Amino acid sequence: MPNRHSPDVVIIGAGVVGAACAYYAARSGLTVAVVDRGPVAGGTTGAGEGNLLVSDKEAGPELDLALLSTRLWRGLSGLLPPETEYEPKGGLVVAPDEPALKALRSFAEGQRAAGVTATEIPADRLADLEPHLAPGLAGGFHYPQDAQVQPAQAAARLLAASGAALHPGEEVTEILRDPATGAVRGVRTARRELLAPAVVNAAGTWGGEVARLAGVPLPVLPRRGFVLVTEPLPRIVRHKVYAADYIADVASGSAALQSSAVVEGTPAGPVLIGATRERVGFDRSLSTEALRRLAAQAAALFPVLADVQVLRAYHGFRPYLPDHLPAIGPDPRVPGLHHACGHEGAGIGLAPATGALVAAALTGAEPPLDPHPFRPERDFGPADAPSQEQQS
C-alpha cells in the first residue's frame, strides 16, 4: 500500500511557478505538498535566463500580470537570500533604424498607459547606458522596471520558504478523483498517494499531459530555445539589452526557427546570449544554425563580443499556449483542479503573480487582478501541433 499524506493542496511541478504557488499558498495558511518527476528547477526553470521583464509585453492581461509580479519580486528580494541574485538592472531595447524606432514609440505609448516606465534614448545617448553598443543604431527605450534573478536558486529558495513537503523524482501517474462527483481528491505516484481537495498543475511543458490525467484538454506545446554562455568578463553589458525584433518573436506563433539577440551580463561574469524560438516537439538535438545566429546577432549588437570565447550552450523548452497567455486558476470542468502553466518564456518573471492568483482561488480570497483572461477552459485558438514523431 503506498504511503499516504494529506495536505490541503498538492502542486505538480517544482519549477519557479510551482514554487511560487507553494509559497503564496503557504502564506495563505494552507499546508502544501510539491511533487515533481525530476529535481527542483529541473525543467524550463533551470534552462532559463531569469528574465523579469515588462519591456517585451504589450498593454493587456500579460503586462498586468508582469507589473504585479515586478512589485512582488521586489518585495521577495528583501526576503530571499543573496544566492537568488535579484538584480534590478533595467532593460534597453534598441532599434536599428527609424521605422523600428517608430514602432517602439507606439509600443511604449501603450505600455505607459498601463503603468510601465519607458524612456526614449536618442542615438547619441545610447553609449551613456551601454558604452560597448555598436554604433549606428537609431535609438532605443530604457525600461528601469526590468530585472533579473538566478532562476534555479529562486525556485529552491521559494520552496524552502514555503515549508512545503517536497517529493522530487516522483512522476504523477494518476489524478485521483471522487467517483461520484468527479472532484479531485489527490494524486498518485509510484511511491505514495497524496490526498488533497485541490491539485495545482504547474508542470510547465508537461502541463498538457497532467491535464489529460485529469480528463481535460490543455494545448500546452514545447517551444525550444538556446542560450550561449561566454567566458567570465568584466561588466561590459550593464542592462538586459535586446533588439526590437525580439518583441515580435515573443508574440509570434510560428513554428519555424526565430532568433533575436538578447544580451546581458551576470554578477558572476559570464555574458548570457539568447534567444531562439522554434517548435520542434521535445527534440533535444543541438542546432548549430540556432547557435550561429545567436553569436552573429550578439556580436552585431556588441562588437566587443566578437572575439570572446563561448564556454557552453544550453537549451530548454518553453511551455507555449497558442494565444500566448498562461492558464491560471480553477478548472470548472474538474472541481478542485487548478492550473498554473503555459507561460512560455515569461514564467520566471510571472511566477509571483501566478502564485498569488492561485492562492486567492484556493482560499476564496479577493484576487490581486482580474483572473478572467487566464481561465484554463477558454478557447485558445488554433494550434499548429507538431507530429507525434516530433514529440517523442
Side-chain angles (χ1 to χ4, degrees), residues 106-147:
S106 177
F107 191 73
E109 185 177 348
Q111 292 176 309
R112 288 194 192 101
V116 173
T117 302
T119 303
E120 183 167 356
I121 309 297
D124 61 356
R125 299 298 301 277
L126 287 175
D128 295 347
L129 276 71
E130 291 290 346
H132 297 285
L133 263 177
L137 295 166
F141 278 80
H142 178 230
Y143 288 86
Q145 290 155 299
D146 282 357

mmCIF file of all heavy atoms in Angstrom, residues 106-147:
data_model
loop_
_atom_site.group_PDB
_atom_site.id
_atom_site.type_symbol
_atom_site.label_atom_id
_atom_site.label_comp_id
_atom_site.label_asym_id
_atom_site.label_seq_id
_atom_site.Cartn_x
_atom_site.Cartn_y
_atom_site.Cartn_z
ATOM 1 N N SER A 106 5.406 53.617 -30.537
ATOM 2 C CA SER A 106 3.991 53.259 -30.444
ATOM 3 C C SER A 106 3.769 52.184 -29.388
ATOM 4 O O SER A 106 2.811 52.244 -28.600
ATOM 5 C CB SER A 106 3.504 52.778 -31.816
ATOM 6 O OG SER A 106 2.167 52.348 -31.761
ATOM 7 N N PHE A 107 4.663 51.193 -29.360
ATOM 8 C CA PHE A 107 4.589 50.111 -28.388
ATOM 9 C C PHE A 107 4.696 50.669 -26.965
ATOM 10 O O PHE A 107 3.907 50.337 -26.076
ATOM 11 C CB PHE A 107 5.716 49.121 -28.679
ATOM 12 C CG PHE A 107 5.630 47.821 -27.945
ATOM 13 C CD1 PHE A 107 4.693 46.856 -28.300
ATOM 14 C CD2 PHE A 107 6.506 47.534 -26.911
ATOM 15 C CE1 PHE A 107 4.632 45.641 -27.632
ATOM 16 C CE2 PHE A 107 6.449 46.322 -26.241
ATOM 17 C CZ PHE A 107 5.516 45.369 -26.611
ATOM 18 N N ALA A 108 5.678 51.554 -26.758
ATOM 19 C CA ALA A 108 5.907 52.115 -25.422
ATOM 20 C C ALA A 108 4.759 52.997 -24.975
ATOM 21 O O ALA A 108 4.440 53.062 -23.773
ATOM 22 C CB ALA A 108 7.212 52.904 -25.419
ATOM 23 N N GLU A 109 4.117 53.683 -25.901
ATOM 24 C CA GLU A 109 2.983 54.545 -25.548
ATOM 25 C C GLU A 109 1.863 53.735 -24.900
ATOM 26 O O GLU A 109 1.288 54.137 -23.880
ATOM 27 C CB GLU A 109 2.470 55.265 -26.800
ATOM 28 C CG GLU A 109 1.378 56.275 -26.519
ATOM 29 C CD GLU A 109 0.934 57.022 -27.773
ATOM 30 O OE1 GLU A 109 1.628 56.915 -28.805
ATOM 31 O OE2 GLU A 109 -0.116 57.682 -27.713
ATOM 32 N N GLY A 110 1.554 52.576 -25.485
ATOM 33 C CA GLY A 110 0.540 51.703 -24.892
ATOM 34 C C GLY A 110 0.971 51.152 -23.551
ATOM 35 O O GLY A 110 0.161 51.045 -22.620
ATOM 36 N N GLN A 111 2.254 50.822 -23.421
ATOM 37 C CA GLN A 111 2.758 50.307 -22.149
ATOM 38 C C GLN A 111 2.674 51.353 -21.044
ATOM 39 O O GLN A 111 2.315 51.044 -19.908
ATOM 40 C CB GLN A 111 4.210 49.852 -22.317
ATOM 41 C CG GLN A 111 4.390 48.635 -23.200
ATOM 42 C CD GLN A 111 5.873 48.324 -23.389
ATOM 43 O OE1 GLN A 111 6.654 49.206 -23.738
ATOM 44 N NE2 GLN A 111 6.240 47.085 -23.151
ATOM 45 N N ARG A 112 3.020 52.593 -21.371
ATOM 46 C CA ARG A 112 2.985 53.663 -20.352
ATOM 47 C C ARG A 112 1.582 53.833 -19.783
ATOM 48 O O ARG A 112 1.407 54.073 -18.583
ATOM 49 C CB ARG A 112 3.461 54.982 -20.963
ATOM 50 C CG ARG A 112 4.955 55.045 -21.247
ATOM 51 C CD ARG A 112 5.350 56.486 -21.523
ATOM 52 N NE ARG A 112 6.684 56.584 -22.072
ATOM 53 C CZ ARG A 112 6.958 56.770 -23.370
ATOM 54 N NH1 ARG A 112 5.962 56.861 -24.250
ATOM 55 N NH2 ARG A 112 8.198 56.868 -23.790
ATOM 56 N N ALA A 113 0.592 53.715 -20.646
ATOM 57 C CA ALA A 113 -0.789 53.852 -20.186
ATOM 58 C C ALA A 113 -1.153 52.768 -19.183
ATOM 59 O O ALA A 113 -2.057 52.945 -18.364
ATOM 60 C CB ALA A 113 -1.738 53.811 -21.384
ATOM 61 N N ALA A 114 -0.445 51.638 -19.238
ATOM 62 C CA ALA A 114 -0.705 50.524 -18.322
ATOM 63 C C ALA A 114 0.149 50.583 -17.058
ATOM 64 O O ALA A 114 -0.010 49.744 -16.171
ATOM 65 C CB ALA A 114 -0.453 49.202 -19.043
ATOM 66 N N GLY A 115 1.078 51.555 -16.978
ATOM 67 C CA GLY A 115 1.890 51.690 -15.772
ATOM 68 C C GLY A 115 3.361 51.373 -15.932
ATOM 69 O O GLY A 115 4.096 51.313 -14.940
ATOM 70 N N VAL A 116 3.816 51.184 -17.157
ATOM 71 C CA VAL A 116 5.227 50.900 -17.409
ATOM 72 C C VAL A 116 6.006 52.203 -17.529
ATOM 73 O O VAL A 116 5.527 53.180 -18.122
ATOM 74 C CB VAL A 116 5.387 50.068 -18.702
ATOM 75 C CG1 VAL A 116 6.855 49.914 -19.087
ATOM 76 C CG2 VAL A 116 4.739 48.704 -18.531
ATOM 77 N N THR A 117 7.211 52.213 -16.990
ATOM 78 C CA THR A 117 8.125 53.335 -17.189
ATOM 79 C C THR A 117 9.003 53.035 -18.399
ATOM 80 O O THR A 117 9.755 52.052 -18.388
ATOM 81 C CB THR A 117 9.009 53.565 -15.953
ATOM 82 O OG1 THR A 117 8.174 53.798 -14.821
ATOM 83 C CG2 THR A 117 9.940 54.739 -16.155
ATOM 84 N N ALA A 118 8.889 53.835 -19.441
ATOM 85 C CA ALA A 118 9.663 53.626 -20.666
ATOM 86 C C ALA A 118 10.168 54.982 -21.140
ATOM 87 O O ALA A 118 9.367 55.874 -21.438
ATOM 88 C CB ALA A 118 8.803 52.974 -21.749
ATOM 89 N N THR A 119 11.483 55.127 -21.211
ATOM 90 C CA THR A 119 12.095 56.405 -21.562
ATOM 91 C C THR A 119 12.841 56.271 -22.881
ATOM 92 O O THR A 119 13.723 55.405 -23.015
ATOM 93 C CB THR A 119 13.075 56.860 -20.467
ATOM 94 O OG1 THR A 119 12.388 56.933 -19.223
ATOM 95 C CG2 THR A 119 13.688 58.211 -20.808
ATOM 96 N N GLU A 120 12.503 57.121 -23.844
ATOM 97 C CA GLU A 120 13.219 57.063 -25.118
ATOM 98 C C GLU A 120 14.646 57.578 -24.953
ATOM 99 O O GLU A 120 14.880 58.614 -24.318
ATOM 100 C CB GLU A 120 12.487 57.851 -26.196
ATOM 101 C CG GLU A 120 13.182 57.740 -27.553
ATOM 102 C CD GLU A 120 12.346 58.245 -28.714
ATOM 103 O OE1 GLU A 120 11.180 58.615 -28.493
ATOM 104 O OE2 GLU A 120 12.869 58.247 -29.850
ATOM 105 N N ILE A 121 15.588 56.831 -25.543
ATOM 106 C CA ILE A 121 17.003 57.201 -25.513
ATOM 107 C C ILE A 121 17.435 57.510 -26.936
ATOM 108 O O ILE A 121 17.425 56.616 -27.792
ATOM 109 C CB ILE A 121 17.872 56.063 -24.934
ATOM 110 C CG1 ILE A 121 17.313 55.561 -23.598
ATOM 111 C CG2 ILE A 121 19.324 56.532 -24.792
ATOM 112 C CD1 ILE A 121 17.287 56.587 -22.495
ATOM 113 N N PRO A 122 17.808 58.749 -27.234
ATOM 114 C CA PRO A 122 18.251 59.055 -28.595
ATOM 115 C C PRO A 122 19.564 58.361 -28.920
ATOM 116 O O PRO A 122 20.301 57.931 -28.025
ATOM 117 C CB PRO A 122 18.404 60.577 -28.579
ATOM 118 C CG PRO A 122 18.577 60.941 -27.140
ATOM 119 C CD PRO A 122 17.819 59.921 -26.352
ATOM 120 N N ALA A 123 19.848 58.270 -30.194
ATOM 121 C CA ALA A 123 21.027 57.530 -30.651
ATOM 122 C C ALA A 123 22.304 58.011 -29.987
ATOM 123 O O ALA A 123 23.167 57.199 -29.609
ATOM 124 C CB ALA A 123 21.134 57.632 -32.170
ATOM 125 N N ASP A 124 22.440 59.338 -29.810
ATOM 126 C CA ASP A 124 23.696 59.863 -29.274
ATOM 127 C C ASP A 124 23.819 59.711 -27.764
ATOM 128 O O ASP A 124 24.832 60.097 -27.175
ATOM 129 C CB ASP A 124 23.882 61.326 -29.676
ATOM 130 C CG ASP A 124 22.777 62.239 -29.146
ATOM 131 O OD1 ASP A 124 21.819 61.716 -28.515
ATOM 132 O OD2 ASP A 124 22.860 63.464 -29.359
ATOM 133 N N ARG A 125 22.784 59.114 -27.108
ATOM 134 C CA ARG A 125 22.845 58.877 -25.661
ATOM 135 C C ARG A 125 22.887 57.398 -25.300
ATOM 136 O O ARG A 125 22.992 57.049 -24.126
ATOM 137 C CB ARG A 125 21.639 59.526 -24.970
ATOM 138 C CG ARG A 125 21.541 61.038 -25.131
ATOM 139 C CD ARG A 125 22.742 61.755 -24.518
ATOM 140 N NE ARG A 125 22.877 61.458 -23.102
ATOM 141 C CZ ARG A 125 22.205 62.098 -22.147
ATOM 142 N NH1 ARG A 125 21.347 63.068 -22.457
ATOM 143 N NH2 ARG A 125 22.398 61.783 -20.879
ATOM 144 N N LEU A 126 22.792 56.527 -26.289
ATOM 145 C CA LEU A 126 22.825 55.088 -26.007
ATOM 146 C C LEU A 126 24.114 54.678 -25.311
ATOM 147 O O LEU A 126 24.120 53.832 -24.414
ATOM 148 C CB LEU A 126 22.656 54.284 -27.305
ATOM 149 C CG LEU A 126 21.261 54.268 -27.933
ATOM 150 C CD1 LEU A 126 21.302 53.545 -29.274
ATOM 151 C CD2 LEU A 126 20.249 53.600 -27.009
ATOM 152 N N ALA A 127 25.224 55.280 -25.717
ATOM 153 C CA ALA A 127 26.516 54.910 -25.128
ATOM 154 C C ALA A 127 26.612 55.282 -23.655
ATOM 155 O O ALA A 127 27.430 54.717 -22.919
ATOM 156 C CB ALA A 127 27.652 55.566 -25.914
ATOM 157 N N ASP A 128 25.779 56.227 -23.204
ATOM 158 C CA ASP A 128 25.768 56.550 -21.773
ATOM 159 C C ASP A 128 25.283 55.358 -20.952
ATOM 160 O O ASP A 128 25.727 55.147 -19.821
ATOM 161 C CB ASP A 128 24.846 57.745 -21.510
ATOM 162 C CG ASP A 128 25.340 59.025 -22.151
ATOM 163 O OD1 ASP A 128 26.512 59.068 -22.588
ATOM 164 O OD2 ASP A 128 24.549 59.984 -22.231
ATOM 165 N N LEU A 129 24.341 54.594 -21.528
ATOM 166 C CA LEU A 129 23.823 53.415 -20.823
ATOM 167 C C LEU A 129 24.659 52.175 -21.107
ATOM 168 O O LEU A 129 24.882 51.358 -20.206
ATOM 169 C CB LEU A 129 22.360 53.166 -21.235
ATOM 170 C CG LEU A 129 21.293 53.953 -20.484
ATOM 171 C CD1 LEU A 129 21.331 55.419 -20.872
ATOM 172 C CD2 LEU A 129 19.909 53.376 -20.747
ATOM 173 N N GLU A 130 25.087 52.039 -22.357
ATOM 174 C CA GLU A 130 25.860 50.862 -22.760
ATOM 175 C C GLU A 130 27.030 51.307 -23.640
ATOM 176 O O GLU A 130 26.910 51.430 -24.859
ATOM 177 C CB GLU A 130 24.968 49.865 -23.524
ATOM 178 C CG GLU A 130 23.915 49.178 -22.679
ATOM 179 C CD GLU A 130 24.525 48.174 -21.692
ATOM 180 O OE1 GLU A 130 25.711 47.826 -21.831
ATOM 181 O OE2 GLU A 130 23.787 47.750 -20.776
ATOM 182 N N PRO A 131 28.206 51.541 -23.037
ATOM 183 C CA PRO A 131 29.338 52.075 -23.795
ATOM 184 C C PRO A 131 29.831 51.178 -24.925
ATOM 185 O O PRO A 131 30.455 51.675 -25.872
ATOM 186 C CB PRO A 131 30.425 52.233 -22.726
ATOM 187 C CG PRO A 131 29.694 52.302 -21.422
ATOM 188 C CD PRO A 131 28.481 51.447 -21.595
ATOM 189 N N HIS A 132 29.557 49.885 -24.861
ATOM 190 C CA HIS A 132 30.100 48.959 -25.861
ATOM 191 C C HIS A 132 29.107 48.615 -26.970
ATOM 192 O O HIS A 132 29.388 47.745 -27.802
ATOM 193 C CB HIS A 132 30.575 47.671 -25.177
ATOM 194 C CG HIS A 132 31.703 47.895 -24.216
ATOM 195 N ND1 HIS A 132 32.994 48.131 -24.627
ATOM 196 C CD2 HIS A 132 31.717 47.944 -22.865
ATOM 197 C CE1 HIS A 132 33.772 48.304 -23.558
ATOM 198 N NE2 HIS A 132 33.021 48.192 -22.481
ATOM 199 N N LEU A 133 27.945 49.284 -26.983
ATOM 200 C CA LEU A 133 26.985 49.032 -28.056
ATOM 201 C C LEU A 133 27.565 49.410 -29.418
ATOM 202 O O LEU A 133 28.389 50.324 -29.534
ATOM 203 C CB LEU A 133 25.716 49.852 -27.828
ATOM 204 C CG LEU A 133 24.515 49.175 -27.160
ATOM 205 C CD1 LEU A 133 23.402 50.201 -26.976
ATOM 206 C CD2 LEU A 133 24.009 47.979 -27.938
ATOM 207 N N ALA A 134 27.106 48.726 -30.451
ATOM 208 C CA ALA A 134 27.530 49.036 -31.810
ATOM 209 C C ALA A 134 27.082 50.447 -32.193
ATOM 210 O O ALA A 134 26.002 50.889 -31.786
ATOM 211 C CB ALA A 134 26.947 48.020 -32.787
ATOM 212 N N PRO A 135 27.878 51.153 -32.978
ATOM 213 C CA PRO A 135 27.454 52.458 -33.474
ATOM 214 C C PRO A 135 26.394 52.302 -34.562
ATOM 215 O O PRO A 135 26.186 51.209 -35.096
ATOM 216 C CB PRO A 135 28.739 53.051 -34.049
ATOM 217 C CG PRO A 135 29.554 51.853 -34.449
ATOM 218 C CD PRO A 135 29.221 50.772 -33.448
ATOM 219 N N GLY A 136 25.719 53.401 -34.850
ATOM 220 C CA GLY A 136 24.797 53.407 -35.976
ATOM 221 C C GLY A 136 23.370 53.022 -35.656
ATOM 222 O O GLY A 136 22.527 52.991 -36.554
ATOM 223 N N LEU A 137 23.054 52.722 -34.395
ATOM 224 C CA LEU A 137 21.680 52.403 -34.025
ATOM 225 C C LEU A 137 20.834 53.678 -34.015
ATOM 226 O O LEU A 137 21.332 54.778 -33.753
ATOM 227 C CB LEU A 137 21.638 51.736 -32.653
ATOM 228 C CG LEU A 137 22.314 50.357 -32.578
ATOM 229 C CD1 LEU A 137 22.520 49.942 -31.126
ATOM 230 C CD2 LEU A 137 21.492 49.319 -33.323
ATOM 231 N N ALA A 138 19.541 53.540 -34.293
ATOM 232 C CA ALA A 138 18.678 54.712 -34.415
ATOM 233 C C ALA A 138 18.240 55.275 -33.068
ATOM 234 O O ALA A 138 17.808 56.427 -32.980
ATOM 235 C CB ALA A 138 17.450 54.356 -35.244
ATOM 236 N N GLY A 139 18.330 54.476 -32.017
ATOM 237 C CA GLY A 139 17.885 54.884 -30.690
ATOM 238 C C GLY A 139 17.307 53.696 -29.949
ATOM 239 O O GLY A 139 17.465 52.540 -30.378
ATOM 240 N N GLY A 140 16.633 53.959 -28.850
ATOM 241 C CA GLY A 140 16.076 52.852 -28.089
ATOM 242 C C GLY A 140 15.205 53.345 -26.951
ATOM 243 O O GLY A 140 14.917 54.538 -26.826
ATOM 244 N N PHE A 141 14.776 52.405 -26.116
ATOM 245 C CA PHE A 141 13.958 52.712 -24.944
ATOM 246 C C PHE A 141 14.530 52.016 -23.719
ATOM 247 O O PHE A 141 14.883 50.826 -23.778
ATOM 248 C CB PHE A 141 12.506 52.291 -25.165
ATOM 249 C CG PHE A 141 11.709 53.297 -25.942
ATOM 250 C CD1 PHE A 141 11.810 53.364 -27.323
ATOM 251 C CD2 PHE A 141 10.898 54.214 -25.288
ATOM 252 C CE1 PHE A 141 11.099 54.304 -28.042
ATOM 253 C CE2 PHE A 141 10.186 55.163 -25.998
ATOM 254 C CZ PHE A 141 10.274 55.213 -27.376
ATOM 255 N N HIS A 142 14.607 52.769 -22.635
ATOM 256 C CA HIS A 142 15.094 52.247 -21.366
ATOM 257 C C HIS A 142 13.904 51.887 -20.484
ATOM 258 O O HIS A 142 12.977 52.683 -20.327
ATOM 259 C CB HIS A 142 15.969 53.296 -20.667
ATOM 260 C CG HIS A 142 16.468 52.860 -19.331
ATOM 261 N ND1 HIS A 142 16.354 53.645 -18.200
ATOM 262 C CD2 HIS A 142 17.060 51.709 -18.928
ATOM 263 C CE1 HIS A 142 16.877 53.012 -17.172
ATOM 264 N NE2 HIS A 142 17.310 51.826 -17.573
ATOM 265 N N TYR A 143 13.947 50.662 -19.909
ATOM 266 C CA TYR A 143 12.878 50.156 -19.051
ATOM 267 C C TYR A 143 13.463 49.827 -17.679
ATOM 268 O O TYR A 143 13.970 48.724 -17.445
ATOM 269 C CB TYR A 143 12.273 48.886 -19.657
ATOM 270 C CG TYR A 143 11.421 49.118 -20.884
ATOM 271 C CD1 TYR A 143 11.990 49.173 -22.156
ATOM 272 C CD2 TYR A 143 10.044 49.281 -20.776
ATOM 273 C CE1 TYR A 143 11.207 49.370 -23.279
ATOM 274 C CE2 TYR A 143 9.253 49.486 -21.899
ATOM 275 C CZ TYR A 143 9.841 49.528 -23.145
ATOM 276 O OH TYR A 143 9.067 49.734 -24.261
ATOM 277 N N PRO A 144 13.417 50.767 -16.732
ATOM 278 C CA PRO A 144 14.042 50.524 -15.429
ATOM 279 C C PRO A 144 13.369 49.447 -14.597
ATOM 280 O O PRO A 144 13.961 48.953 -13.627
ATOM 281 C CB PRO A 144 13.951 51.894 -14.740
ATOM 282 C CG PRO A 144 12.838 52.603 -15.429
ATOM 283 C CD PRO A 144 12.857 52.126 -16.845
ATOM 284 N N GLN A 145 12.146 49.038 -14.944
ATOM 285 C CA GLN A 145 11.462 48.006 -14.156
ATOM 286 C C GLN A 145 11.923 46.592 -14.492
ATOM 287 O O GLN A 145 11.612 45.657 -13.751
ATOM 288 C CB GLN A 145 9.944 48.113 -14.357
ATOM 289 C CG GLN A 145 9.322 49.352 -13.718
ATOM 290 C CD GLN A 145 8.024 49.761 -14.392
ATOM 291 O OE1 GLN A 145 8.001 50.073 -15.587
ATOM 292 N NE2 GLN A 145 6.944 49.761 -13.645
ATOM 293 N N ASP A 146 12.637 46.396 -15.591
ATOM 294 C CA ASP A 146 13.155 45.068 -15.928
ATOM 295 C C ASP A 146 14.203 44.641 -14.900
ATOM 296 O O ASP A 146 14.992 45.468 -14.410
ATOM 297 C CB ASP A 146 13.789 45.067 -17.317
ATOM 298 C CG ASP A 146 12.770 45.019 -18.430
ATOM 299 O OD1 ASP A 146 11.564 44.930 -18.137
ATOM 300 O OD2 ASP A 146 13.184 45.064 -19.605
ATOM 301 N N ALA A 147 14.232 43.367 -14.588
ATOM 302 C CA ALA A 147 15.161 42.865 -13.582
ATOM 303 C C ALA A 147 15.568 41.431 -13.925
ATOM 304 O O ALA A 147 15.201 40.894 -14.974
ATOM 305 C CB ALA A 147 14.535 42.941 -12.189
#
